[in-house]
Amino acid sequence: MQKVLVAGLLLLVGLVGILAWYYFDMNQEDDQIRIGVTIYQMEDPFIAQIPLYIEKIAKEHEKADGVRIYVDTVDATGNQNLQNDQVVQFLERDFDVLCVNMVDRTAAGSIIDKAKQANVPVVFFNREPVAEDMQRWDKLYYVCSLASESGVLEGNIVVDAYRAQPERWDKNGDGKLQYVLLEGEQGHQDSLIRTEVTIKTITDAGIPLEKLDGDTADWQRAQVGVMMAQWLETYGDEIELIISNNDNMALGAIDTYQEAGITELPMIVGIDAIAPALDAVEAGTLTGTVLNDAKGQAQAIFDLAYGLAQGQDPVEQHEILENRYVWIPHQPVTKENVKEIRKFLQ
C-alpha cells in the first residue's frame, strides 16, 4: 500500500512538474521575439551567410538583453510559390516580423498583401522589390548594398591591375583587353547594374575593351563550367579578362582553367568576397573581388527586425535608414588587404 501511495505521489509530482514546465514555456513563448527568414536559395554561398550572421547576432542579443529571440530560417529553393507558402506559415504561427530574400523580385505584391493584412512588418533584403511594391505600405524595408558601387569598385580593380602591369594582361599587345562576361541572372537588377557600371568604369579610365562572349550562369559556380570550356576552346589565349557579376561564377571560371591544366590565367574579377574567393585572391588566381558585406547586411536586417518586433520606429533608431532603405557600403579586396578583410568578417 505504501509503494502504491509513493508511486502515486511521484506520478502526481511529475504531472505537476510537466504542467508547470508547459505553463512556464508558454509564458516564455509570449515574451519571445519571433523572426522568420526566408531565403531564395541556400545553395547561393553569399546568401547563405546572411541568416547565419543573423542567428549569431540574435544569440548575442539574447545574452546581452535577456530577451528570448527565435530566428527560423527556411529555404525557398528557387520556388516563388514555396516562398509564398512559407510566408503564410510564418504569419499563421504569429511571427513578429518577416525577413524576405525574394525568389522573384517582381512577385513581392502577394507577400506584402498577406503581411499587411496580418500587420506584420517585412524586411526585404538582397533582391529589391520593384519601387511600386515598396510604396504599398509603410512597414516595408529593404537592406542591401548599392550594385552601382560594387560595379565601380570591380572596374577599378581591373584598372589598377592593368595600369600596374599592362604588358602582363594585354597579351597580344593591341592596347585593349579582350574579355568574356559572366552574368548573374537574367533580369536581376544587381546583375544588370554591375555589368553596365563595371564596363563603364574601365572604359572611362581610358582602357578599351573588346567583348568576345558572355552569358548568364544564374550566380552558380557549377553552371560556368560548360560555357567557359567552350569559350576556352574557341578563344584560348585571346581571353585577357573575365568579368564576373559574383565570386561564385568567377570561381567556376578558375575551375575550368585548372581542370584544363592551364596555369597562366587571365585577369579574373568578381564580387561578394565569399571565403573561397578570398582564398583565390591570396593564391593569385582571382585578381580581386568586392566585399558585399553579408555581416553588415545581417546586422542591419536584425536591427530593423528586432526594433520592429518591439514596436519601435526604425526611422528614429537607424541613422542609415533612407526612405526605408538601408545601404551597406562595399570594399575592394585585393592581395594587399585580403587578410584584413578576413579578420573583419570573423
Side-chain angles (χ1 to χ4, degrees), residues 33 35 54 57 61 96-99 121-125 134 139-144 296-328:
I33 291 174
I35 301 173
I54 292 173
I57 294 166
H61 270 268
D96 298 298
V97 61
L98 305 180
C99 301
V122 183
V123 180
F124 292 101
F125 62 96
M134 287 295 294
K139 292 185 180 181
L140 306 176
Y141 302 85
Y142 180 67
V143 175
C144 197
Q297 290 184 32
Q299 185 69 62
I301 293 163
F302 176 81
D303 288 346
L304 281 171
Y306 187 63
L308 288 164
Q310 295 180 312
Q312 298 173 357
D313 182 357
V315 176
E316 297 177 357
Q317 300 294 322
H318 302 279
E319 293 180 2
I320 58 174
L321 192 67
E322 181 180 345
N323 297 324
R324 293 185 280 114
Y325 286 72
V326 177
W327 303 108
I328 306 300

Side-chain angles (χ1 to χ4, degrees), residues 277-343:
L278 298 181
D279 293 339
V281 170
E282 285 198 86
T285 52
L286 187 65
T287 306
T289 182
V290 177
L291 174 63
N292 191 9
D293 188 0
K295 184 178 181 180
Q297 290 184 32
Q299 185 69 62
I301 293 163
F302 176 81
D303 288 346
L304 281 171
Y306 187 63
L308 288 164
Q310 295 180 312
Q312 298 173 357
D313 182 357
V315 176
E316 297 177 357
Q317 300 294 322
H318 302 279
E319 293 180 2
I320 58 174
L321 192 67
E322 181 180 345
N323 297 324
R324 293 185 280 114
Y325 286 72
V326 177
W327 303 108
I328 306 300
H330 292 90
Q331 293 184 57
V333 184
T334 61
K335 211 163 188 177
E336 287 69 32
N337 70 338
V338 64
K339 290 182 179 178
E340 296 174 16
I341 296 297
R342 280 191 188 279
K343 291 179 181 178

Side-chain angles (χ1 to χ4, degrees), residues 24-34 68 96:
F24 175 78
D25 187 67
M26 289 298 290
N27 280 344
Q28 288 292 101
E29 288 292 318
D30 289 341
D31 296 333
Q32 187 181 63
I33 291 174
R34 303 175 185 85
R68 293 186 66 197
D96 298 298

Side-chain angles (χ1 to χ4, degrees), residues 18 82 107 139 144 149 161 213 272 275 293:
I18 291 171
L82 175 58
K139 292 185 180 181
C144 197
E149 183 184 58
D213 223 319
D272 281 342
D293 188 0

Side-chain angles (χ1 to χ4, degrees), residues 80 83-84 102-112 124 129-130 133 136:
Q80 186 59 60
Q83 187 168 64
N84 292 344
M102 292 294 302
V103 173
D104 179 356
R105 64 182 289 262
T106 66
S110 175
I111 289 174
I112 292 169
F124 292 101
V130 296
D133 283 337
R136 293 172 64 172

